[in-house]
Amino acid sequence: MMNENSKFNKLSSEVISSVEQGSFPHGVLIECQNETDGADFARFIANCLVCRGDKKPCGVCSDCIKAQKEGHPDIFETDGVIKSKSKIFFVYFFCNISKYAFIMYNVIDCKVYILKNAHNMNDQAQNAILKILEEPPSYVYFIIVTISRSTMLETVLSRVQTYSLLSEDEEVTGKE
């Protein structure tokens, strides 16, 4: 898990509270300087969403154990690392996600999609994910991880709740 800091602890408490209250949004964006921390926080959120324990995440139920081992059948994680000169997330990828999102979950009553390195999405790919972000099945959650929210279209940002793991200094620098 990522370095425990006050910002992570505060955001973790917010996530746990909204999951336990049943009010967690279907689309979130995690903005972080360190991609590893962003992915770890995304996995933490996914773990909270699939946990069957009373206290989220309990760490002992079978779903928590599977999530912690990155082997839960209802958590799908993909990485948009640039492997060539083009952006790696393509429109057809999101068309497939849209198709498979409507297929019922396997084990727990939700499906979680973690999209890491989303700053590598081109505009067409971001537009392709808009439809599913606008009207997701009630059991589907999207966690989008990026190094800067400025790389995302305003229409995408308007459909997700943003969690920033950036320090205040990094946030000011990013806004400038």
Side-chain angles (χ1 to χ4, degrees), residues 101-168:
F102 286 95
I103 296 172
M104 293 299 283
Y105 40 82
N106 292 304
V107 177
I108 193 73
D109 59 354
C110 71
K111 289 171 101 172
V112 183
Y113 290 90
I114 299 173
L115 309 174
K116 301 183 300 186
N117 293 297
H119 46 274
N120 293 328
M121 277 192 225
N122 61 24
D123 289 353
Q124 292 83 6
Q126 289 185 54
N127 281 319
I129 198 172
L130 277 177
K131 179 69 175 163
I132 194 77
L133 285 175
E134 288 173 344
E135 299 174 19
S138 61
Y139 52 86
V140 174
Y141 298 90
F142 290 96
I143 305 170
I144 302 168
V145 182
T146 183
I147 57 171
S148 174
R149 72 182 96 190
S150 67
T151 63
M152 306 305 291
L153 296 174
E154 284 298 320
T155 49
V156 171
L157 293 175
S158 71
R159 288 160 179 83
V160 297
Q161 179 177 329
T162 300
Y163 292 103
S164 179
L165 296 177
L166 300 177
S167 68
E168 290 180 26

Side-chain angles (χ1 to χ4, degrees), residues 12-21 44 47-65 68:
S12 297
S13 296
E14 288 177 26
V15 167
I16 291 167
S17 177
S18 66
V19 169
E20 288 177 344
Q21 294 172 14
F44 170 80
N47 194 166
C48 289
L49 290 167
V50 300
C51 176
R52 294 183 194 236
D54 292 332
K55 193 114 169 104
K56 310 285 185 203
C58 71
V60 295
C61 72
S62 63
D63 290 300
C64 278
I65 292 167
Q68 291 164 1

Side-chain angles (χ1 to χ4, degrees), residues 91-104:
V91 173
Y92 73 84
F93 175 79
F94 293 107
C95 292
N96 281 336
I97 283 182
S98 294
K99 180 173 68 175
Y100 291 116
F102 286 95
I103 296 172
M104 293 299 283

Side-chain angles (χ1 to χ4, degrees), residues 29-46:
L29 181 128
I30 299 170
E31 180 182 40
C32 55
Q33 185 69 29
N34 180 324
E35 295 166 13
T36 302
D37 288 350
D40 286 346
F41 191 59
R43 289 183 198 111
F44 170 80
I45 293 171

